[in-house]
């Protein structure tokens, strides 16, 4: 944004579900974020919403590939070219390995190596920028930033999270949280989110510390495609076991590496509770947000994106989970095959599939 020097109040289109920080950066530069509603089947921005949102002040479109899925950029590229817009693709959730450098036709492709991402380096990012002039400017701006202190590199915090995630310790942690009545989903999500305070922009204007670069280099060199392949296979199995009755956002997308396994239901909290009681740790997540429309443009309200975030939750599905566990997990959703535990304050969720 600093390199581009767009006129103040220029409009930046966002596929309507993104990371809060992305919108914050745009606002910081006195630019106006404008949402483009999503199609929940493909998780891509809707073309008609995109065309409708464009004004003479629109300069850029930022699209996020969500949950490990990828939608083809072609139709969006056409619109971007026709209207002279810069196209940025956010591949933070869709990364599948060092050969993945994004769509070469996009002006910018963004990859994150933050704490919960595939091939995490506990922080840092890689950017592919097509325009060499912009890229050079970005490099020289970054060269003027202070170097992140090795101290602020969150090794200790991640070690604690990692330690917590071993089974016996995590069980104790859950028990303790229940005993004192706090919401461990919130704690877990908060602890993995970085940089949200008022000095957000100052804190992201850093050059990476040497330990971060070393870890990132190691992650890229030793990347094992097998892990992503295993994750994709487990995801495909779970998708098949759940059947058509359970609605998954992005279900129409063939390219899906299953970074997360999202499902849409009417009452996510009740489902999460029911799953926890059977030993499955599902979560609502917490870091995504819906981009709101600017004042006077309520016609751009991203209805489907809001619906997505109010009804989505995430099932545990990862390379190490056994097929038997996935069968049991899917069974929880199928009344008749595996009844939910009865319990005074948890009503048995209906086996009803959400409307897209
Ligand atoms: C993780 C993520 C980012 C960037 O997060 P950092 O932790 O700051 O690297 C951006 N967009 C999306 C969609 C993400 O999931």
């Amino acid at each position: 944004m600093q390199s581009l020097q767009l006129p103040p109040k220029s409009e930046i289109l966002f596929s309507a579900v993104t990371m809060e920080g992305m919108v914050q950066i745009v606002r910081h530069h006195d630019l106006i974020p404008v949402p483009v509603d999503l199609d929940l089947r493909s998780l891509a921005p809707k073309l008609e919403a995109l065309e409708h949102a464009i004004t003479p002040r629109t300069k850029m479109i930022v699209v996020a590939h969500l949950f490990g899925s990828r939608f083809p950029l072609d139709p969006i590229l056409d619109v971007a070219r026709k209207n002279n817009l810069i196209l940025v693709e956010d591949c933070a959730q869709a990364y599948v390995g060092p050969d993945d450098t994004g769509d070469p036709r996009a002006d910018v492709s963004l990859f994150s190596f933050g704490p919960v991402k595939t091939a995490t380096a506990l922080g840092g990012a890689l950017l592919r920028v097509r325009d060499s002039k912009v890229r050079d400017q970005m490099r020289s701006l970054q060269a003027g930033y202070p170097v992140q202190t090795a101290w602020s590199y969150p090794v200790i915090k991640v070690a604690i999270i990692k330690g917590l995630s071993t089974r016996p310790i995590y069980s104790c942690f859950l028990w303790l949280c229940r005993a004192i009545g706090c919401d461990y989903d919130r704690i877990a999500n908060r602890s993995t989110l970085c940089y949200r305070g008022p000095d957000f922009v100052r804190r992201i204007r850093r050059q990476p510390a040497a330990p971060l670069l070393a870890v990132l280099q190691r992650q890229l060199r030793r990347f094992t495609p097998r892990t992503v392949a295993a994750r994709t296979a487990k995801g495909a199995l779970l998708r098949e076991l759940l059947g058509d009755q359970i609605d998954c956002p992005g279900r129409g997308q063939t390219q899906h590496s299953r970074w997360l396994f999202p499902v849409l239901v009417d009452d996510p909290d009740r489902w999460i509770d029911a799953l926890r009681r059977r030993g499955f740790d599902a979560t609502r997540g917490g870091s995504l947000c819906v981009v709101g429309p600017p004042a006077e443009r309520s016609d751009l309200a991203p209805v489907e994106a809001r619906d997505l975030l109010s009804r989505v939750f995430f099932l545990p599905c990862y390379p190490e989970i056994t097929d038997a566990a996935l069968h049991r997990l899917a069974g929880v959703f199928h009344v008749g095959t595996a009844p939910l535990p009865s319990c005074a304050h948890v009503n048995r969720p209906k086996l009803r599939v959400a409307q897209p």
Side-chain angles (χ1 to χ4, degrees), residues 191-226:
S191 63
T192 51
L193 298 178
C194 313
Y195 313 144
R196 282 174 101 193
D199 61 346
F200 170 73
V201 170
R202 186 180 62 79
R203 291 186 64 181
I204 58 173
R205 288 184 178 165
R206 298 278 162 91
Q207 296 187 61
L212 189 155
L213 290 175
V215 173
L216 182 53
Q217 184 184 43
R218 181 184 181 280
Q219 290 294 69
L220 296 175
R221 281 222 178 112
R222 300 207 187 164
F223 186 87
T224 42
R226 242 181 315 131

Side-chain angles (χ1 to χ4, degrees), residues 18-19 22 64 66 90 92-93 112-115 117 124-125 259 288:
T18 189
M19 206 78 159
M22 303 290 284
L66 296 174
D90 180 347
Q93 304 193 352
S112 162
F113 297 88
K117 298 289 153 68
W259 178 60
L288 290 173

Side-chain angles (χ1 to χ4, degrees), residues 55-294:
T55 72
R57 285 200 304 275
T58 309
K59 300 289 183 226
M60 180 190 281
I61 168 150
V62 185
V63 295
H65 300 286
L66 296 174
F67 311 137
S69 73
R70 265 230 169 81
F71 54 83
L73 284 186
D74 305 62
I76 297 155
L77 265 164
D78 287 346
V79 177
R81 286 192 183 134
K82 224 170 20 190
N83 294 277
N84 218 3
L85 307 180
I86 300 164
L87 176 60
V88 178
E89 61 166 353
D90 180 347
C91 304
Q93 304 193 352
Y95 185 68
V96 289
D99 297 333
D100 177 7
T101 53
D103 190 314
R105 300 166 300 171
D107 294 294
V108 182
S109 303
L110 308 171
F111 298 90
S112 162
F113 297 88
V116 295
K117 298 289 153 68
T118 302
T120 177
L122 315 182
L126 288 175
L127 281 63
R128 194 186 49 73
V129 180
R130 212 159 56 121
D131 184 328
S132 60
K133 259 201 282 184
V134 175
R135 189 169 60 228
D136 291 345
Q137 257 165 350
M138 290 171 72
R139 282 201 170 118
S140 82
L141 275 166
Q142 199 197 21
Y145 290 161
V147 176
Q148 170 197 40
T149 54
W151 172 241
S152 63
Y153 184 53
V155 177
I156 294 180
K157 187 162 122 184
V158 174
I160 292 171
I161 294 171
K162 193 86 189 148
L164 262 180
S165 66
T166 59
R167 199 182 183 109
I169 297 177
Y170 191 62
S171 302
C172 291
F173 169 69
L174 293 191
W175 180 85
L176 199 72
C177 285
R178 275 199 200 114
I180 60 176
C182 61
D183 180 350
Y184 46 82
D185 201 23
R186 282 245 315 271
I187 297 176
N189 278 308
R190 281 222 189 123
S191 63
T192 51
L193 298 178
C194 313
Y195 313 144
R196 282 174 101 193
D199 61 346
F200 170 73
V201 170
R202 186 180 62 79
R203 291 186 64 181
I204 58 173
R205 288 184 178 165
R206 298 278 162 91
Q207 296 187 61
L212 189 155
L213 290 175
V215 173
L216 182 53
Q217 184 184 43
R218 181 184 181 280
Q219 290 294 69
L220 296 175
R221 281 222 178 112
R222 300 207 187 164
F223 186 87
T224 42
R226 242 181 315 131
T227 317
V228 173
R231 192 178 75 189
T232 308
K234 295 288 178 183
L237 173 61
L238 181 56
R239 179 64 277 220
E240 192 184 316
L241 292 172
L242 286 174
D244 292 337
Q245 273 174 303
I246 306 300
D247 195 3
C248 300
R251 67 192 181 281
Q253 215 50 266
T254 46
Q255 230 183 323
H256 205 322
S257 69
R258 312 278 176 188
W259 178 60
L260 292 176
F261 196 102
V263 287
L264 284 176
V265 293
D266 282 341
D267 194 346
D269 289 330
R270 225 150 54 161
W271 276 105
I272 289 172
D273 223 15
L275 285 162
R276 286 220 178 118
R277 276 159 213 286
R278 311 194 103 219
F280 292 107
D281 203 6
T283 175
R284 293 195 78 166
S287 48
L288 290 173
C289 74
V290 175
V291 183

Side-chain angles (χ1 to χ4, degrees), residues 13-26:
L13 304 183
F14 275 95
S15 53
V17 172
T18 189
M19 206 78 159
E20 212 175 305
M22 303 290 284
V23 183
Q24 226 171 317
I25 290 167
V26 162

